[in-house]
Amino acid sequence: MLRPVVQYPDPLLAKVCEPVAEIDDGVRALAQDLLDTLNTVGGVGIAAPQIGVLRRVVVIDVSPELNDPEAPQDFRVFINPVVTVLDARPHEENEGCLSVPELRAKVKRPRRVALDALDLEGRPVHIEGEGYYGACMQHETDHLDGKLFIDYISYLKRSLYDKKMRRGRR
Ligand code: NI
């Protein structure tokens, strides 16, 4: 089911999410809602708090794993994801977020990471990647700890954006 995407500065986006203890019908329904929403609104990833659910579940497009720019998007569900840095040298990507409208900004993150999680059948899954793909793994997992990519941008840029969003809400 398509769910509305929670928009900054909604406080839900700043909460730390609960780990999934058991993969039950509720978790399967949540995963389906994330997939349906991402497929409808478009993007490379989405995290549960972005549809208002404070549980540790994300969906990420894993097609870059194939190293084929022509590969179609391939959305996978990751439960209780944990990111490990494999190469800490900084790498900059131009990031955006479905929950942060009208802003893209350059963000520096560790270059190469691994992501370990469970799939919907409870099996362990492991992916690794760098560049845009690695940034996506870090960006989505950050959502589960209440962190947004704008937490990494300069103070000036952030204040300008906050001001603009506050004006929009009046
Ligand atoms: Ni995001």
Side-chain angles (χ1 to χ4, degrees):
M1 189 173 54
L2 170 66
R3 305 268 291 261
V5 176
V6 175
Q7 301 287 303
Y8 180 81
D10 192 309
L12 277 178
L13 295 170
K15 301 265 197 258
V16 175
C17 297
E18 287 291 323
V20 169
E22 190 197 345
I23 300 166
D24 54 14
D25 285 348
V27 174
R28 283 185 281 270
L30 166 61
Q32 192 57 54
D33 287 352
L34 287 167
L35 288 163
D36 291 345
T37 304
L38 189 55
N39 271 311
T40 305
V41 299
V44 293
I46 192 167
Q50 293 184 274
I51 59 168
V53 180
L54 298 178
R55 304 186 77 180
R56 302 188 81 84
V57 180
V58 300
V59 169
I60 294 171
D61 173 21
V62 298
S63 63
E65 209 173 19
L66 303 170
N67 284 316
D68 172 8
E70 303 289 303
Q73 284 191 302
D74 182 1
F75 295 130
R76 300 280 174 81
V77 177
F78 296 96
I79 297 166
N80 298 338
V82 175
V83 165
T84 312
V85 174
L86 302 177
D87 181 347
R89 284 178 298 161
H91 171 83
E92 197 172 64
E93 285 288 338
N94 197 26
E95 295 190 24
C97 179
L98 297 173
S99 294
V100 182
E102 296 166 47
L103 185 73
R104 293 191 74 85
K106 291 196 168 134
V107 177
K108 268 197 196 119
R109 299 181 186 267
R111 183 171 303 253
R112 184 174 179 83
V113 295
L115 184 147
D116 289 278
L118 297 176
D119 68 11
L120 274 175
E121 277 73 50
R123 294 175 301 219
V125 282
H126 176 92
I127 55 174
E128 291 179 12
E130 55 189 64
Y132 190 74
Y133 186 40
C136 181
M137 291 178 214
Q138 296 174 74
H139 176 123
E140 298 312 332
T141 306
D142 266 359
H143 272 296
L144 307 181
D145 292 315
K147 266 161 92 183
L148 300 172
F149 79 95
I150 49 176
D151 295 335
Y152 300 100
I153 66 179
S154 76
Y155 176 76
L156 178 66
K157 206 163 187 183
R158 174 67 180 262
S159 343
L160 286 171
Y161 183 68
D162 284 345
K163 224 179 262 172
K164 180 174 156 192
M165 295 317 280
R166 275 200 302 271
R167 261 202 314 270
R169 254 144 225 282
R170 265 193 217 125

